[in-house]
Amino acid sequence: MTPLAKLLEAALFASARPVPADELSALDPDASAAAIAAALDELKSHYDEEGHGVELVEIAGGWQVLTRAEYTEAIERAQLAARPQRLSAAALETLALIAYRQPIGRAEVEEIRGVNVGSVLKSLHERGLIDVVGRAEGLGRPLLYGTTPLFLEHFALRHLEELPRADELAIALRQNVVDERSATSSETRADV
Amino acid sequence: MTPLAKLLEAALFASARPVPADELSALDPDASAAAIAAALDELKSHYDEEGHGVELVEIAGGWQVLTRAEYTEAIERAQLAARPQRLSAAALETLALIAYRQPIGRAEVEEIRGVNVGSVLKSLHERGLIDVVGRAEGLGRPLLYGTTPLFLEHFALRHLEELPRADELAIALRQNVVDERSATSSETRADV
Amino acid sequence: MTAIPPEVFVAGSTFPLPPGLARTDGSGKDDGGFLVELTSFSGPLDLLLALIRDEKVDIYDIPIARIAEQFLLRIHSLGLNEAADYLEMAARLLRIKAQLLLPRGETEEWEDPRAELVRRLLEYQQMREIVDVMEHRADERRRQFARAFLPDQPTPPQAPLALSLSELLSAVDRVLRFGRAPNMHDVVARPLDVPAAIEIIRSLLALRARLQWTDVVAADAPPWQVLSALLGLLELARLGELRVAQPRPFANVEISRDPDDPASEAA
């Protein structure tokens, strides 16, 4: 490809929106409108004739490089199938605290966990596992969090009382945590 | 290009972040790992040899298409994209220590940097460059930090081992000299 | 990477932002010293290294009196009087200076009071070398743009969440052990019956060499039974009586007698 076509490809790749031809001319002050048009033609032909997974299209008065429609389905399927997302240890611990201590405010979770949990709370909320269930009395009336019906559904619980008692759990799990951790350590762990 | 290379290209153009290898494999369940690797090679060569404005790079266990560095200024001049802000010296120093000594606690970072690092750790954590990876034994069970995949992306690393080894650094040689000179010093310390 | 000659100390400690890129968010909010340095030094060791470089002195033979004086001058002129980190280093320098003035014993082994400081400076300098490498890499990466346009997805696809009850309960356990004494005993009251679950699993395994999770627990079993079975299974696995495998995420858990267990051959 010509240098100008390569520059246009890079610019269109990096732009978040379709770029009108006159904005593209700002890329190279020496390039005439005709030269820009010719380079766009060249890029378009290259994508079409060399068999690329992307194409150059004119949308809303601007130019944009897009993935070809025939691949969309496979891409979305792969994105979903690739890795069921796992909660990070931080998210799990926060969720556990909320399940057992709800309604609970952010400050209390942070005090127990010793770290900022703002982003974790946001992720858990986006996942629909927790929700705001009220406000505490006192300064600033902080939000209180609790678990959602989706949380129960996820663990096939009918109600929260079906969770085992925390003190039993600590004893029962203590011997097994290590085994279980080593069994799952090979799996990938995405942060929430 | 082969159909598989086109499919991979389409998927790579559909992501703002490196696409993990297993997600690429999920694009075509019939394709072997070797076939995927060959198609990636094909795409990379095509970009390099046919003169494209973008290139294929391996980062953080995945693959990513990026614009070539030579077009940065032109793209910024045309205001089609802007470089992200740089990390401060404080952030970089803290990241360097965490990268080399993870899992590492706040106290150790502060001892080496000679400053309080509470707010820097908080910012790095919020930006997803570090995460809590455990707790140390001992008083208060302090949090231990490690780097994240986003850290690798920020520095365009395939993995942590791409950072220079401590013995490759000029100062490592001097470290031995000072050890000999101050042989009476009882404290020995692992290299960064 | 380029080797830095030992006598050349890490040069600048400032990371000037290119014009127009500083504070582009315009928020001006406190970013925790993250993007813009409060001073041109990232800490007292950074300042100290700069002084050693400026004064052209040997790091292994630091003239402490001179350097301490310069250090105090600098933190004064930089308006760093409030910075506890710098004051602590100033105090340390003065302490070393005082120690150096003490008469040395002739016979006893003398330890240079500067040794610990030199060690810390070298350690810090090594870290600065790493920072240089990392900064260079980050700058290279910043010169390349990633794909910015991502098509609108009406329903943002979220990958299915792989989250098991055992993971949640392990997290409860971690919080209990590591957390700052949360009281989590007062909510729930359903007892588990792990021994009974173990008996059930043992009985089933006596009949069949291989089981599936769904053989052990009915699909509509209440959670306390599921949990009891899970904990029982883990306990038996720990004891080596059986093996548990899950061929892929979400697949049925396969349970088999431990092939190394001679008792399993007889059954």
Side-chain angles (χ1 to χ4, degrees):
Chain A
M1 289 202 285
T2 58
L4 187 56
K6 288 159 67 174
L7 173 57
L8 291 184
E9 181 185 44
L12 292 172
F13 176 85
S15 170
R17 58 187 169 82
V19 187
D22 58 340
E23 280 188 53
L24 287 174
S25 54
L27 286 164
D28 182 356
D30 297 335
S32 66
I36 297 281
L40 284 169
D41 258 358
E42 184 192 349
L43 186 59
K44 189 173 170 56
S45 310
H46 178 87
Y47 283 154
D48 291 345
E49 286 157 23
E50 299 290 320
H52 273 265
V54 295
E55 60 185 336
L56 181 63
V57 292
E58 193 172 8
I59 293 176
W63 292 90
Q64 191 162 35
V65 177
L66 293 177
T67 58
R68 290 186 193 273
E70 62 203 272
Y71 299 115
T72 316
E73 200 184 322
I75 292 168
E76 284 178 2
R77 202 172 49 233
Q79 284 171 347
L80 282 178
R83 44 179 73 186
Q85 213 180 357
R86 307 187 50 159
L87 293 181
S88 65
L92 274 169
E93 289 172 16
T94 302
L95 186 60
L97 267 173
I98 293 173
Y100 278 81
R101 298 272 315 212
Q102 57 190 303
I104 184 172
R106 173 172 166 171
E108 196 183 346
V109 176
E110 290 185 342
E111 190 191 327
I112 295 168
R113 295 217 49 245
V115 285
N116 183 303
V117 297
S119 62
V120 171
L121 286 179
K122 187 163 167 283
S123 301
L124 291 172
H125 189 252
E126 280 169 4
R127 280 276 176 193
L129 294 168
I130 63 168
D131 205 353
V132 174
V133 295
R135 279 178 180 275
E137 299 298 322
L139 194 69
R141 298 188 55 84
L143 299 173
L144 295 174
Y145 296 90
T147 53
T148 61
L150 190 66
F151 170 88
L152 294 176
E153 199 178 305
H154 199 98
F155 297 108
L157 300 165
R158 268 167 299 187
H159 35 75
L160 280 170
E161 287 68 33
E162 283 190 335
L163 282 172
R165 275 175 37 199
D167 54 349
E168 288 183 328
L169 188 72
I171 297 158
L173 273 175
R174 187 145 308 166
Q175 299 164 332
N176 297 306
V177 166
V178 175
D179 303 337
E180 200 192 336
R181 279 207 190 144
S182 60
T184 57
S185 62
S186 61
E187 288 179 55
T188 54
R189 180 168 287 272
D191 285 339
V192 165
Chain B
M1 287 200 288
T2 58
L4 187 56
K6 288 160 67 176
L7 175 58
L8 293 181
E9 182 184 44
L12 291 165
F13 265 65
S15 175
R17 298 189 49 186
V19 181
D22 55 353
E23 190 174 317
L24 291 175
S25 307
L27 282 166
D28 182 355
D30 297 333
S32 65
I36 298 280
L40 285 167
D41 257 358
E42 184 193 345
L43 189 58
K44 188 173 170 56
S45 308
H46 178 87
Y47 285 155
D48 291 344
E49 286 157 22
E50 298 294 317
H52 273 265
V54 295
E55 64 180 329
L56 180 62
V57 291
E58 191 177 2
I59 292 179
W63 293 84
Q64 188 169 25
V65 175
L66 295 174
T67 61
R68 291 186 194 273
E70 59 204 274
Y71 303 116
T72 318
E73 282 78 16
I75 291 171
E76 283 196 327
R77 195 170 52 232
Q79 300 188 330
L80 296 175
R83 274 180 268 196
Q85 286 179 304
R86 308 172 84 187
L87 295 177
S88 69
L92 282 168
E93 289 183 6
T94 305
L95 276 178
L97 291 172
I98 294 175
Y100 276 77
R101 295 204 174 174
Q102 55 189 312
I104 182 175
R106 172 174 165 172
E108 199 185 340
V109 177
E110 291 187 337
E111 193 205 320
I112 298 169
R113 286 205 49 225
V115 293
N116 184 302
V117 298
S119 64
V120 173
L121 284 178
K122 184 164 168 283
S123 300
L124 291 173
H125 188 248
E126 279 169 6
R127 294 197 170 223
L129 293 167
I130 62 169
D131 202 357
V132 175
V133 296
R135 281 176 187 270
E137 300 296 325
L139 194 69
R141 304 195 63 93
L143 298 172
L144 297 174
Y145 296 91
T147 54
T148 62
L150 199 62
F151 167 86
L152 296 176
E153 282 183 46
H154 190 94
F155 297 98
L157 297 165
R158 271 174 296 186
H159 39 67
L160 281 172
E161 288 69 33
E162 264 196 295
L163 288 171
R165 294 208 321 268
D167 58 3
E168 290 169 354
L169 298 166
I171 196 64
L173 303 170
R174 304 274 295 184
Q175 185 76 54
N176 296 334
V177 176
V178 78
D179 284 348
E180 283 162 25
R181 286 204 193 177
S182 60
T184 50
S185 172
S186 60
E187 200 175 348
T188 53
R189 179 159 285 273
D191 283 341
V192 168
Chain C
M1 65 162 284
T2 55
I4 298 173
E7 64 274 15
V8 178
F9 291 100
V10 175
S13 50
T14 54
F15 290 75
L17 293 168
L21 282 180
R23 293 250 185 226
T24 47
D25 62 355
S27 64
K29 67 181 180 205
D30 176 26
D31 54 24
F34 192 68
L35 293 170
V36 180
E37 294 295 288
L38 293 174
T39 77
S40 51
F41 296 100
S42 64
L45 290 161
D46 192 23
L47 172 55
L48 209 48
L49 278 180
L51 288 175
I52 289 167
R53 186 192 60 233
D54 292 352
E55 299 282 312
K56 296 185 172 57
V57 299
D58 182 356
I59 194 171
Y60 297 101
D61 191 18
I62 300 171
I64 285 290
R66 193 164 114 211
I67 291 294
E69 184 189 347
Q70 288 293 320
F71 190 89
L72 288 168
L73 270 174
R74 289 287 189 102
I75 65 173
H76 183 68
S77 65
L78 288 170
L80 295 174
N81 298 349
E82 305 298 318
D85 297 324
Y86 288 85
L87 294 179
E88 188 192 332
M89 177 59 76
R92 182 188 302 268
L93 291 174
L94 294 174
R95 197 160 58 241
I96 295 172
K97 181 181 159 190
Q99 282 170 339
L100 282 170
L101 293 174
L102 291 176
R104 269 185 237 179
E106 288 291 323
T107 53
E108 68 182 287
E109 202 173 340
W110 182 75
E111 183 175 347
D112 191 328
R114 300 172 296 183
E116 167 67 9
L117 183 64
V118 171
R119 185 196 63 72
R120 285 190 65 190
L121 281 170
L122 290 173
E123 185 177 55
Y124 183 79
Q125 195 182 6
Q126 185 180 37
M127 183 205 64
R128 291 296 315 209
E129 275 199 60
I130 293 164
V131 164
D132 288 345
V133 172
M134 286 171 59
E135 199 193 17
H136 179 71
R137 289 202 71 113
D139 279 346
E140 292 290 302
R141 172 62 189 80
R142 284 172 70 250
R143 290 183 57 76
Q144 297 189 275
F145 296 114
R147 179 72 164 158
F149 171 77
L150 296 173
D152 286 338
Q153 278 151 335
T155 50
Q158 270 189 319
L161 196 58
L163 177 56
S164 68
L165 198 47
S166 67
E167 277 185 308
L168 180 75
L169 299 176
S170 296
V172 176
D173 183 58
R174 287 201 301 278
V175 173
L176 284 171
R177 284 187 295 157
F178 301 152
R180 298 175 190 174
N183 174 10
M184 306 215 299
H185 296 189
D186 50 355
V187 176
V188 189
R190 186 81 208 198
L192 301 181
D193 193 354
V194 179
I198 287 177
E199 278 315 299
I200 292 169
I201 296 166
R202 278 192 176 135
S203 312
L204 286 169
L205 274 182
L207 295 170
R208 289 157 56 187
R210 299 176 69 83
L211 297 174
Q212 298 211 307
W213 171 251
T214 44
D215 299 329
V216 178
V217 181
D220 58 350
W224 72 269
Q225 276 184 13
V226 177
L227 269 175
S228 302
L230 177 70
L231 293 175
L233 209 54
L234 291 170
E235 176 65 12
L236 289 174
R238 193 180 66 85
L239 295 173
E241 290 189 29
L242 53 76
R243 290 197 172 169
V244 181
Q246 192 174 22
R248 60 186 184 282
F250 305 127
N252 208 336
V253 175
E254 290 172 1
I255 302 149
S256 55
R257 284 181 215 146
D258 193 319
D260 301 333
D261 181 0
S264 65
E265 295 298 320

